Amino acid sequence: MAAPDGVASGAVRAAVPPVSLSPSRAGDFMQCPLLYRFRVIDRLPEKPSEAATRGTLVHAVLERLFDAPAAERTPPRAKALIPGQWDRLRESRPELVELFADDADGERLARWLSEAERLVERWFTLEDPSRLEPAERELFVEAELASGLRLRGIIDRVDVAPTGEVRIVDYKTGKAPRPEYAEGALFQMKFYALVVWRLKKVVPRRLQLVYLGSGDVLTYDPVPADLERIERKLHALWEAIRLATETGDWRPRPTKLCGWCDHRAHCPEFGGTPPPYPLPLAPAAPPVQGRMGAD
């Protein structure tokens, strides 16, 4: 799970230049630089979604299940955790009340919770938690590269074999991507692997994406050359973010994902106007004057 840096919450915070990069925010910039600005610079509020909130709930259940002894990590035990974790989630994020505000009879909420149960049950067909003892769960990691770029994120699960080999595991409540899109799906995992490599001087043996929506498991075994490539990519991304931050030039990048965006009212592609830029702009460089020729 990526670190929620820069995403607006109910509280209004003063705008500050970005100081770190997480997989989710890197993904935002690659998808649409203006979306990155709205989330990280302007911190515009976003409505909670049923799908994302269900994902948060399922992650919480799978994390808490490992508190139980191995023999008690069963589907009934996991499903029994759902109501309590849902209550805790609503207490920590009051804005979630609006998700089912118009659901007077509770039918939509019941269907939503049933889908969460199905996702949790499917996990048991993909992994056996009675045979797993994670070294870390919901692990916050942060590393500063030699360039000064700070990378951060939250890893769902870290497994360490008796031989010392590290496996990074991430749960996805959606469906696995088609093979031609697998590289994009692995970006987040390679990001985490790079952070672990720079922190621990160990290249993770395996990266594993567990797709609960479709019942698929995607694995990848990285090598240092992979992580060096992702490091170069992140440096290029950060340089583009730095330039946009200084100039205020955040270009929209229209795609089919625009239909899901909360910020169309502020987007020029949909006739909107972004809010006034809240950060100081770097002074424009003076034009370079060439020398006049003798003739």
Side-chain angles (χ1 to χ4, degrees):
M1 180 182 297
D5 55 312
V7 178
S9 64
V12 176
R13 292 174 288 179
V16 294
V19 295
S20 63
L21 196 60
S22 70
S24 55
R25 298 293 76 82
D28 287 343
F29 188 84
M30 290 187 290
Q31 176 185 328
C32 174
L34 187 59
L35 173 64
Y36 178 98
R37 177 200 148 168
F38 287 157
R39 285 180 165 169
V40 178
I41 307 296
D42 299 293
R43 301 181 184 271
L44 297 182
E46 297 183 353
K47 295 179 181 178
S49 75
E50 290 188 18
T53 305
R54 184 168 48 232
T56 302
L57 173 60
V58 170
H59 275 77
V61 168
L62 300 188
E63 179 191 4
R64 293 274 67 84
L65 183 64
F66 284 104
D67 291 339
E72 298 177 19
R73 297 170 194 163
T74 63
R77 175 68 175 259
K79 289 194 293 183
L81 291 172
I82 290 176
Q85 292 302 314
W86 173 228
D87 289 342
R88 290 183 59 184
L89 192 56
R90 285 183 298 175
E91 289 172 6
S92 64
R93 295 176 55 190
E95 71 274 13
L96 296 181
V97 173
E98 67 184 81
L99 271 178
F100 301 101
D102 59 349
D103 184 32
D105 57 9
E107 288 187 9
R108 192 155 54 86
L109 174 59
R111 289 195 301 270
W112 184 83
L113 290 171
S114 293
E115 178 58 25
E117 287 187 358
R118 285 192 290 271
L119 293 171
V120 168
E121 283 185 313
R122 185 171 288 144
W123 177 57
F124 285 84
T125 69
L126 305 173
E127 296 190 290
D128 182 356
S130 70
R131 302 179 62 183
L132 296 170
E133 291 298 339
E136 300 286 353
R137 291 172 276 155
E138 294 293 313
L139 175 66
F140 175 78
V141 291
E142 185 174 40
E144 185 171 308
L145 304 182
S147 64
L149 171 57
R150 191 188 312 167
L151 305 178
R152 60 192 307 186
I154 299 176
I155 301 174
D156 288 345
R157 198 178 87 219
V158 178
D159 300 332
V160 180
T163 55
E165 294 178 320
V166 174
R167 176 172 64 181
I168 295 176
V169 180
D170 196 77
Y171 310 119
K172 299 294 184 186
T173 48
K175 296 181 179 180
R178 296 200 299 267
E180 60 266 32
Y181 297 114
E183 184 62 30
L186 284 168
F187 170 79
Q188 173 187 356
M189 303 302 285
K190 291 181 180 180
F191 184 109
Y192 292 148
L194 172 62
V195 174
V196 170
W197 186 32
R198 293 308 185 205
L199 280 176
K200 305 294 186 181
K201 312 304 180 187
V202 173
V203 175
R205 174 69 179 83
R206 174 153 293 181
L207 311 178
Q208 181 167 303
L209 283 161
V210 181
Y211 286 95
L212 305 177
S214 57
D216 296 297
V217 176
L218 176 63
T219 62
Y220 184 81
D221 297 342
V223 296
D226 291 329
L227 306 187
E228 289 168 351
R229 280 192 292 270
I230 201 76
E231 187 170 25
R232 290 193 294 271
K233 180 174 184 175
L234 292 174
H235 276 128
L237 275 176
W238 189 246
E239 178 59 23
I241 290 171
R242 185 197 62 77
L243 183 61
T245 302
E246 292 181 353
T247 62
D249 185 10
W250 301 91
R251 305 288 176 90
R253 184 175 296 147
T255 68
K256 60 183 180 181
L257 296 175
C258 291
W260 301 92
C261 184
D262 281 330
H263 308 303
R264 284 176 291 177
H266 296 287
C267 180
E269 293 293 325
F270 294 89
T273 302
Y277 194 56
L279 295 177
L281 299 178
V288 177
Q289 296 182 352
R291 291 189 304 168
M292 297 290 291
D295 54 355

